[in-house]
Amino acid sequence: MTLASFIPSVTGLNAMSTAQQSVAENIANMNTTGYKQNQTLFYTLLGSSGLGVGSQSGLHSSRASITGVGAYNRTNIDAEGLVKATGNTLDVAISGNSNAFFKLDDGYGNVYYSRAGDFKRSAQEGKAYLVSSGGLYVQGFTAIDGKDEFSNVPSDIIIDAPNVVPQKETTEASIIANVPANDIDSSIYNIHVYSQNYDGSNLSLVFKKIEGLENCWNLSFDLEDGKASSAVTEVIFNTDGTIKTPENLDVAIAWDDGSSSNVNIDISKMTQYGESSVVTNIQQNGFPSGNLIAIRFDDNGILRAQYSNDSEVTIAKLAISGFTAPENLTPFNTTLFEANGEVGNEYYVDTSELISTESLESSTVNLEEEFSRMIVVQRAYSLNAQSLTVNDEMLSLLIDLKS
């Protein structure tokens, strides 16, 4: 008997220790966002030379000598965790594609990949960066002029959105309304319009019936914060109540602050029926100023600033990376991975309907499965320890025989 008889038991103890460490790490990270379960795999340790065994019957068997067992951990990168809602506007989860990863930068040129989308804002040197929970800079394609046009090269996402957006000047408007045909001498219709300097003002269209002429009205304008006029001063209706002329009005506005604007008003759907003055619909293309109310992602991974006037400013679009062989990514820590020469080509994944907003991807750890593994590993460790004890007793007995 030699000391080599201890090797299988010792390697078995080491392998089971590795497996138990993996189980413990999984259980510790069962609530870690974007964590991927570790799995311990075992392999046979072979000796350096084969053995030839013969018998009197002439049968022979040859094999390599087995000296023990080894173990290594494998991260199940392609497993997807359950997506859970959080209500946090900067939380995002990748859903429906295991080969898609958020791209992160540590600020020193080191790039990492992750499925953990628990992002936050970080103020640095007067700028607000979008960063991961570990402080890494989230990479994305910057929006051009606040619109849905983006740069071609990803960079750090900087949350650059004004707290207030100005009003938009009204240049077009339309009104659908009825002018009373009987017993009414005048009727007034208000359109709320905006200018570069005025955050909303009522423009009144004043219809006054022309005496002695049927279906004819004088048209004038009143404005709260200035004066309005048009080359058209008369509106004529057909005998069937529909508009005859004009169908459109070009209204020039001189605002009290010295500025000016022009509004084209479509009145082609106005009517002259009955005795009631009814406004059915008024539309115009301006809007008031708005205060910033939220910054959030949409289902396409686009980060937008939303304002109280229903306008939006586009900030950036997430850079989501995929690989030819994503299962070969190198684990860096609990939720980060690094690219290597075995992952193949990196490419950017189409984010259309890929992102779940205000949600996070849960850990892929199954607690029941981990407890089952723990029992098996503990049992195997105990058996290897017993085997080591028996070998020790046999070696002691052998030594005693010589004394």
Side-chain angles (χ1 to χ4, degrees):
M1 185 175 185
T2 66
L3 293 176
S5 62
F6 290 93
I7 294 178
S9 299
V10 172
T11 58
L13 291 173
N14 289 334
M16 293 309 113
S17 295
T18 299
Q20 178 55 32
Q21 181 180 354
S22 173
V23 171
E25 182 179 344
N26 287 338
I27 294 176
N29 287 282
M30 61 178 295
N31 292 319
T32 300
T33 298
Y35 177 79
K36 301 300 180 182
Q37 179 197 40
N38 275 332
Q39 181 183 15
T40 302
L41 300 179
F42 303 95
Y43 58 94
T44 299
L45 296 176
L46 301 179
S48 60
S49 61
L51 295 176
V53 181
S55 68
Q56 293 182 352
S57 62
L59 298 177
H60 294 270
S61 174
S62 62
R63 60 176 176 81
S65 59
I66 297 177
T67 60
V69 63
Y72 66 95
N73 289 331
R74 178 180 65 185
T75 302
N76 295 326
I77 297 176
D78 56 353
E80 291 188 60
L82 182 67
V83 174
K84 294 183 178 180
T86 65
N88 189 333
T89 57
L90 294 181
D91 285 347
V92 286
I94 300 173
S95 179
N97 186 352
S98 61
N99 185 15
F101 303 87
F102 300 114
K103 190 170 186 176
L104 310 173
D105 192 294
D106 66 356
Y108 299 97
N110 299 311
V111 178
Y112 303 95
Y113 304 90
S114 177
R115 297 277 291 197
D118 47 345
F119 301 143
K120 60 184 179 181
R121 275 185 275 192
S122 176
Q124 302 177 29
E125 299 179 351
K127 297 180 180 179
Y129 290 88
L130 185 69
V131 299
S132 68
S133 59
L136 301 180
Y137 299 99
V138 181
Q139 301 298 290
F141 302 98
T142 303
I144 300 174
D145 297 328
K147 306 298 182 182
D148 282 8
E149 296 181 10
F150 304 95
S151 61
N152 296 322
V153 179
S155 59
D156 300 341
I157 293 180
I158 299 175
I159 303 176
D160 184 15
N163 290 324
V164 178
V165 292
Q167 61 272 16
K168 178 185 176 184
E169 179 181 357
T170 300
T171 58
E172 296 180 355
S174 65
I175 179 171
I176 302 175
N178 183 64
V179 179
N182 303 318
D183 302 328
I184 298 293
D185 292 330
S186 65
S187 189
I188 299 175
Y189 307 90
N190 295 321
I191 300 176
H192 207 63
V193 297
Y194 302 88
S195 77
Q196 293 179 352
N197 301 323
Y198 285 87
D199 207 4
S201 183
N202 279 328
L203 173 65
S204 299
L205 281 66
V206 182
F207 287 77
K208 291 186 177 180
K209 187 172 290 187
I210 301 176
E211 294 184 8
L213 295 177
E214 292 187 359
N215 307 321
C216 293
W217 301 77
N218 278 325
L219 177 62
S220 60
F221 303 91
D222 287 334
L223 184 66
E224 291 179 344
D225 300 295
K227 295 182 179 180
S229 61
S230 173
V232 176
T233 59
E234 188 175 277
V235 177
I236 303 173
F237 290 89
N238 295 308
T239 56
D240 63 358
T242 59
I243 197 84
K244 181 177 181 180
T245 183
E247 294 187 345
N248 291 275
L249 306 169
D250 286 321
V251 180
I253 298 177
W255 298 94
D256 289 341
D257 67 349
S259 62
S260 62
S261 59
N262 290 278
V263 181
N264 180 270
I265 304 176
D266 181 1
I267 63 171
S268 63
K269 294 183 180 180
M270 291 191 70
T271 57
Q272 179 189 258
Y273 297 128
E275 299 178 355
S276 61
S277 177
V278 178
V279 176
T280 303
N281 182 271
I282 294 177
Q283 293 185 352
Q284 55 83 36
N285 64 346
F287 54 72
S289 60
N291 296 318
L292 179 65
I293 57 175
I295 293 177
R296 55 166 50 94
F297 286 97
D298 67 11
D299 294 340
N300 295 320
I302 298 176
L303 185 63
R304 304 183 190 276
Q306 298 179 335
Y307 295 85
S308 57
N309 59 1
D310 295 329
S311 64
E312 293 182 335
V313 173
T314 304
I315 299 173
K317 183 177 182 179
L318 285 171
I320 306 296
S321 295
F323 300 90
T324 306
E327 65 277 4
N328 292 332
L329 286 167
T330 303
F332 181 76
N333 65 14
T334 53
T335 60
L336 297 180
F337 302 94
E338 290 181 297
N340 54 58
E342 297 180 355
V343 299
N345 296 324
E346 177 185 0
Y347 56 88
Y348 294 110
V349 178
D350 182 8
T351 58
S352 300
E353 299 182 358
L354 182 67
I355 300 298
S356 294
T357 60
E358 299 185 15
S359 303
L360 292 175
E361 181 180 355
S362 302
S363 168
T364 59
V365 173
N366 183 306
L367 189 57
E368 291 79 6
E369 179 182 338
E370 295 304 322
F371 275 121
S372 297
R373 290 176 58 196
M374 182 187 297
I375 294 172
V376 172
V377 169
Q378 184 180 22
R379 180 60 175 164
Y381 189 92
S382 176
L383 291 174
N384 277 281
Q386 290 181 13
S387 176
L388 184 65
T389 300
V390 170
N391 279 320
D392 181 61
E393 292 175 352
M394 292 174 63
L395 182 59
S396 297
L397 180 60
L398 182 61
I399 294 174
D400 291 341
L401 289 176
K402 293 184 176 181
S403 61

